[in-house]
Structure formats: structure tokens, C-alpha cells
Amino acid sequence: MEKISRTKIVDLLKRRDFGAMVNVKGWVRTRRGSKQVNFIALNDGSTINNVQIVVDLANFDEEMLKQITTGACISVNGELTESIGSGQAAEVQARGIEVLGTCDNTYPLQKKGHTMEFLREIAHLRPRTNTFGAVFRIRHNMAIAIHKFFHERGFFYFHTPIITASDCEGAGQMFQVTTKNLYDLKKDENGSIIYDDDFFGKQASLTVSGQLEGELAATALGAIYTFGPTFRAENSNTPRHLAEFWMIEPEVAFNDITDNMDLAEDFIKYCVQWALDNCYDDVKFLNDMFDKGLIERLQGVLKEEFVRLPYTEGVKILEEAVVKGHKFEFPVYWGVDLASEHERYLVEEHFKRPVILTDYPKEIKAFYMKQNEDGKTVRAMDVLFPKIGEIIGGSEREADYDKLMTRIQELGIPMKDMWWYLDTRKFGSCPHSGFGLGFERLLLFVTGMTNIRDVIPFPRTPRNAEF
């Protein structure tokens, strides 16, 4: 076959220079036809759309044609022609075909519908399906949108460590990092492990959040964001939890809680708009195949101002719903950490738009949040979304050294690990705020997928670290 430089299918389908000789390479989705002519649907991952290859069987070797099965990889030289009936404006009349990789009938992705559960078992092949091609192209686009949003607003992308000796959330659910021989651990007289001979000389873990280090950067660079993998060793086998996930955490000096809410709302709207503007074919495919209300929901988020609601008022609304006969699985009372069903009731049934819940009881929030004058609540904010519940959690931070120290002592957080964090309150402290957005939760919303395992290429969950 003569050498013609390859055109990606996403670009080929836009071309109108009919009669030109082109080369396309990709994987066969389907092949159908009669004794005279075959039609191959070819996809190369650059778009959800396939290009139709028209093959006049008389011009090709029968043995070679037998190798063109679902999943096979081929290179095609041919003439770009106007398409009469394939749903695309352009197709390719094959002049030469080379089989680059054969694919026999043990290939698990034969032409039929597959369940999400089955596809998770073959996560190494699922990017080849239309669904996961769409999801992962959207995932890339969301990452681009995030960097673009912050860069355009003068934020600096700051890389926080993945291996850390501090537990940001105080939750203790951390994966340990060690080079020690686990069969032969040195212990002191109290039975505690001695880390002197470990790689870092002390206990180290995978990070649960880049926030604390992000605060240090914000008090120097003004406005920063982190975007990287985070790890939680909680045994949560739910459709919205992963043990390894990606998090975006902006932190901004001189922002108060209101500025923080404004930033969160602008940020999410920017990302959703980006998906509609830049991934419309993929979003439309997911809308048509999985979630008929997806595009409407995305457009709905853009249209509405988010509701801003103090926690206390939110609890009142939920208590009234219970009085009127609404059944929740978990009880509602002031002081409870709201469950996903409570969050979704406020968003989907009561207000019918996203809600930013503020001023939570201090007992259920992290030590670093700024306390309100009432002594009972803190300047926290959670952004609640339809179908997901919490998508963003953040707060204005406690900038006062004494108040922060008191809170740390009340909670018994080991201070030896936190001295560097307290220095920011000692040396030129300033008001500052930030939040964390779980990247996969954003993707759940934008793709309409219902399980968080289906918006990350290789999900890490309890008892599952395949591939």
C-alpha cells in the first residue's frame, strides 16, 4: 500500500474535498454487507463517530478480508467521497487495506450490549467501547477546562506531595507507605512500631488532601490550586467512593466564605459550559443511550443561581418534610452530618437546583474551619448537586493562631506533625478560603454515569486493585 499520511477520523469527517486520496487507521466496530460490497464502521478513538469504509469485494483478496472482524485493527487507503446514507457527510471508498492486528472471536467486545459490571471486569478493554471512549474524552476535556479556568484567573498550579506525614482530615483512614519488611517489624516496649529504619525515618502515608500544603502556598502566592491524586482507605463500597481519586483544591488568600462560594459556583458552571461546548457529540451520545435528562440537567445548572442556605435552615426544611410524611432512611436533627439522601432532597425536590449549604455545626467539620461568632457553627460550605449530593466541600479557614490551637487541642490532633501548618498563623496570618472538588464526582455529573467506578480508567476500591 502506498504511503499516505494518516488523517484522524474526527478531522476526516469534517472534510469536504471529495475525490482526495486519504489514509485512516483504526479498529473495526462492525462489518456488514452483501456478496458484492461490504461496509466497515471504523473508529480510532478521536471521536464517538465512526467513518464508513465502503469495500468493493471484487477488488480485494478473500483471505485478507476474512481477517477484518470486530476489534481488528486496519489501515485503509481510499477516496474520500460524499456519503449518501451513513449518517455522516463523508465516507471512504477503499482502494487498499492492510490488516495491522487481527482479532479472533474470543474478543469480549462483540457487537452486543454489555453491562457496566461486565465491562469493569475487562477494564483494560473497555476504553474501546463507545461509552468509555466518550467518558474518557470528556475526562480529558474537564481536566483542560479546570486548568484553563484557574490560569485565566491568575491562579498558580501548585504541586503538593503525594507522600505525607500529616493527616489533613484527621480521619485516620490513610494508606501507609513503607519499605519495612512487614513480616519482621521492630517494636518498642509498648508494642508500637519503630520507624527509625524505615525509608523516611517516620510513619508516612499517601495523602488524603493537598489542602494544608495548599494553604501554605496561598499565603505566599495569593491564589493557587492543586490537581492530583488523593487516597482514602475507608471501607466504602458505594457508587460514589473510590480509594484513589483526583481532587482539585483552590486556596485563595483574602477570600472570605462568600468569595469562596462565588468561586465554586463560577468554577462548576465554567466546567459544565466547557463540556457542552467542546464535548457535545460525546455528551449527546451519553444522553441518548444512558440518561435522557443529561443535557437538560447540564443546561439547568448553567441557568440557575445556586441557592445559599444555612445548615440550620436546611435541617428545618428536612424536618418539615418528615412531618409531611417524607421517609428518609437516616434520621434528621440539628447536629447530624447530612446523608446523601438529605442533600438530594434539598436539591432535587425542594429547590430543584444546586444548593450551597453553609454554617455547619463545628462538631461535624474539620479543625481548620473558621468559627462563627455563635461558637456553635463554622464557615463551611458544601455544594450539593442533583443525582450526586455533595460535589464540593470547602470553608473559610481559621486564621487566628489561638483559636486554631484550642481546636487542635480539643480534638487531640498530634501537634508534632502540624508545627509547619501553625507557622502560617504565626507569621503574617491572613484570612483565606478554599474548597475541594472531587474530579470523579464532577465527571459523574457531566457524563450522567451512575457509578464512580465508570468515570476513572482503573478504579481502586475495597478488595479491588486489578490492572
Side-chain angles (χ1 to χ4, degrees), residues 244-418:
E244 174 183 296
F245 57 99
W246 287 65
M247 193 124 86
I248 297 95
E249 297 178 293
E251 197 70 39
V252 193
F254 317 116
N255 268 12
D256 67 11
I257 187 74
T258 308
D259 303 319
N260 206 27
M261 290 192 272
D262 293 343
L263 180 68
E265 181 166 345
D266 291 348
F267 172 52
I268 283 214
K269 286 181 169 173
Y270 183 96
C271 292
V272 169
Q273 187 67 61
W274 183 274
L276 288 170
D277 292 346
N278 296 278
C279 317
Y280 192 77
D281 285 354
D282 287 322
V283 170
K284 177 135 182 37
F285 171 81
L286 294 168
N287 180 91
D288 296 349
M289 296 298 290
F290 286 98
D291 181 348
K292 301 284 188 269
L294 176 60
I295 289 175
E296 199 182 329
R297 212 161 44 247
L298 294 175
Q299 289 166 338
V301 161
L302 296 174
K303 282 203 299 273
E304 303 275 18
E305 294 276 298
F306 294 3
V307 175
R308 300 185 179 193
L309 181 77
Y311 168 93
T312 303
E313 286 180 37
V315 168
K316 273 192 198 130
I317 291 168
L318 293 166
E319 286 174 336
E320 280 163 22
V322 172
V323 170
K324 289 181 186 148
H326 189 89
K327 295 272 188 288
F328 290 116
E329 190 185 337
F330 297 101
V332 178
Y333 53 90
W334 197 93
V336 75
D337 201 357
L338 298 181
S340 177
E341 57 171 347
H342 303 139
E343 296 169 341
R344 288 182 59 180
Y345 177 85
L346 291 170
V347 172
E348 293 167 26
E349 301 192 38
H350 190 83
F351 290 105
K352 296 192 171 29
R353 55 190 165 128
V355 173
I356 308 183
L357 215 52
T358 62
D359 303 303
Y360 279 81
K362 72 176 184 186
E363 271 61 43
I364 58 173
K365 287 294 178 186
F367 71 92
Y368 47 70
M369 297 190 178
K370 185 174 177 64
Q371 297 188 32
N372 284 318
E373 283 65 51
D374 63 13
K376 291 195 306 189
T377 60
V378 289
R379 286 189 198 169
M381 55 157 239
D382 284 358
V383 181
L384 313 179
F385 254 46
K387 286 208 141 189
I388 313 273
E390 184 202 330
I391 194 168
I392 281 179
S395 69
E396 185 175 337
R397 316 307 190 189
E398 183 55 77
D400 182 287
Y401 179 85
D402 294 328
K403 283 187 184 164
L404 189 62
M405 259 323 270
T406 306
R407 193 76 188 117
I408 282 173
Q409 282 156 357
E410 280 172 13
L411 293 169
I413 294 167
M415 275 318 300
K416 65 179 194 322
D417 298 330
M418 298 304 295

Side-chain angles (χ1 to χ4, degrees), residues 176-182 185 195 197-201:
Q176 287 197 41
V177 176
T178 182
T179 53
K180 287 171 79 72
N181 174 356
L182 298 182
L185 292 173
Y195 286 96
D197 59 339
D198 204 354
F199 189 90
F200 295 107

Side-chain angles (χ1 to χ4, degrees), residues 180-205:
K180 287 171 79 72
N181 174 356
L182 298 182
Y183 295 102
D184 183 22
L185 292 173
K186 271 199 331 199
K187 296 184 180 174
D188 64 16
E189 61 275 11
N190 305 322
S192 300
I193 295 166
I194 300 168
Y195 286 96
D196 297 357
D197 59 339
D198 204 354
F199 189 90
F200 295 107
K202 59 170 158 184
Q203 190 173 355
S205 306

Side-chain angles (χ1 to χ4, degrees), residues 30-94:
T30 57
R31 177 179 157 200
R32 58 186 177 80
S34 62
K35 286 198 166 62
Q36 284 79 42
V37 65
N38 271 198
F39 301 99
I40 297 169
L42 198 66
N43 189 283
D44 66 0
S46 61
T47 166
I48 189 82
N49 301 307
N50 305 324
V51 66
Q52 177 160 287
I53 312 292
V54 182
V55 184
D56 184 342
L57 298 185
N59 301 335
F60 291 93
D61 171 56
E62 203 177 325
E63 285 307 301
M64 187 274 295
L65 289 173
K66 277 184 190 159
Q67 300 182 339
I68 302 177
T69 56
T70 293
C73 183
I74 62 173
S75 173
V76 180
N77 283 352
E79 187 185 331
L80 186 68
T81 56
E82 196 164 359
S83 177
I84 314 304
S86 76
Q88 306 293 351
E91 60 186 26
V92 175
Q93 300 282 339

